[in-house]
Amino acid sequence: MPAQAHAGRLFIGSKRYSSWSLRGWLAVHLAKLEVEEVVIALEETPSAAIQAATPTGLVPYLEHRGARVWETIAIAEYCAEQAPGLWPEDAALRAQARSISAEMHAGFRGLRQAMPMNLGRDFAGGGRTPEALADIARIETLWREARAASGGPFLSGADFTLADAMYAPVASRFLTWQPVLAADTLDYVAAVRAHPLMRRWYAEAAAEPAAWLLDKYENPPLAPTA
Ligand SMILES: N[C@@H](CCC(=O)N[C@@H](CS)C(=O)NCC(=O)O)C(=O)O
């Protein structure tokens, strides 16, 4: 499609590492927005290119038909307005989906710091800080509750929707770092990984140039392993 046919642009970071970009990209694709994808490689330190391209110096950032949207949860809400059905129709399920999505947006810092996203590596057993393990326990509970309420296999029911987009990088972290997880958690991780959009993101991450590899994510501190 020629550039002028696009309705806007989605700025994201390296697919191998950028967990927030994955969330925004999934939301935009679930809503089928016809935007040009602009990938800016993450760097060892904050990227001047990302700062130049975005209001906050952070990706993802969406421009669409005159709207400028930053912060992943706001991008998710914008996409839901564009494509009804990305939040559940049932009010109670919608409240649950929004609550767990906001909880992801605001928290789980212990997990995010100890087990950074890296689609191309196996760090099995690493990163098990007390803070990460506490976050994982909470995530297992909220995934279990959401799937029980909606009937699963995804968080809001039969389809992969916005709550799943918000937690997709957590599923990826679990595959990379392999903490001890319950069987139903592993089932959900497998369902997320098998989704066509996730397959596409993984394939595109694997095709990124070797020059984009970052020492801070390829050689993270692995201890503790208990
Ligand atoms: N609160 C932001 C967080 C976004 C964020 O931290 N993005 C990272 C990449 S995953 C980033 O752009 N970092 C700037 C850089 O590395 O230069 C959101 O929800 O979108």
Side-chain angles (χ1 to χ4, degrees):
M1 184 184 296
Q4 58 270 30
H6 289 125
R9 295 186 291 182
L10 174 67
F11 294 84
I12 57 174
S14 310
K15 289 178 174 164
R16 185 179 178 93
Y17 306 129
S18 185
S19 57
W20 292 108
S21 296
L22 170 56
R23 296 179 176 98
W25 183 92
L26 286 168
V28 162
H29 282 271
L30 290 171
K32 299 186 167 57
L33 303 189
E34 301 257 337
V35 293
E36 179 190 358
E37 180 178 305
V38 183
V39 184
I40 304 176
L42 297 187
E43 300 176 25
E44 296 287 354
T45 55
S47 156
I50 292 177
Q51 285 168 11
T54 69
T56 53
L58 298 171
V59 283
Y61 167 55
L62 173 66
E63 296 172 345
H64 183 251
R65 300 193 193 286
R68 302 166 72 242
V69 201
W70 59 96
E71 290 296 324
T72 302
I73 196 75
I75 293 173
E77 290 290 357
Y78 181 83
C79 290
E81 288 178 2
Q82 300 295 312
L86 294 188
W87 291 127
E89 195 170 333
D90 176 81
L93 290 180
R94 192 163 65 249
Q96 184 175 38
R98 279 202 162 110
S99 296
I100 64 176
S101 296
E103 189 175 346
M104 179 70 248
H105 189 256
F108 301 129
R109 187 168 296 274
L111 171 69
R112 286 167 30 212
Q113 287 184 344
M115 300 184 183
M117 195 171 92
N118 185 329
L119 268 55
R121 295 294 299 277
D122 175 349
F123 296 137
R128 297 182 186 180
T129 64
E131 296 81 6
L133 296 180
D135 284 351
I136 290 167
R138 170 63 192 149
I139 290 166
E140 291 200 274
T141 297
L142 72 86
W143 283 1
R144 190 167 297 131
E145 289 174 351
R147 296 171 77 221
S150 70
F154 293 107
L155 296 175
S156 298
D159 297 326
F160 184 109
T161 55
L162 290 173
D164 304 294
M166 291 300 290
Y167 282 92
V170 173
S172 174
R173 286 173 155 99
F174 286 175
L175 289 166
T176 298
W177 294 85
Q178 296 179 40
V180 177
L181 298 168
D184 61 332
T185 304
L186 292 169
D187 288 345
Y188 176 67
V189 168
V192 169
R193 177 65 181 86
H195 189 274
L197 287 173
M198 287 296 282
R199 290 178 191 268
R200 179 172 157 193
W201 179 274
Y202 266 79
E204 291 174 4
E208 287 175 343
W212 290 12
L213 294 176
L214 297 178
D215 185 63
K216 65 179 174 179
Y217 295 129
E218 297 304 321
N219 296 296
L222 291 180
T225 57

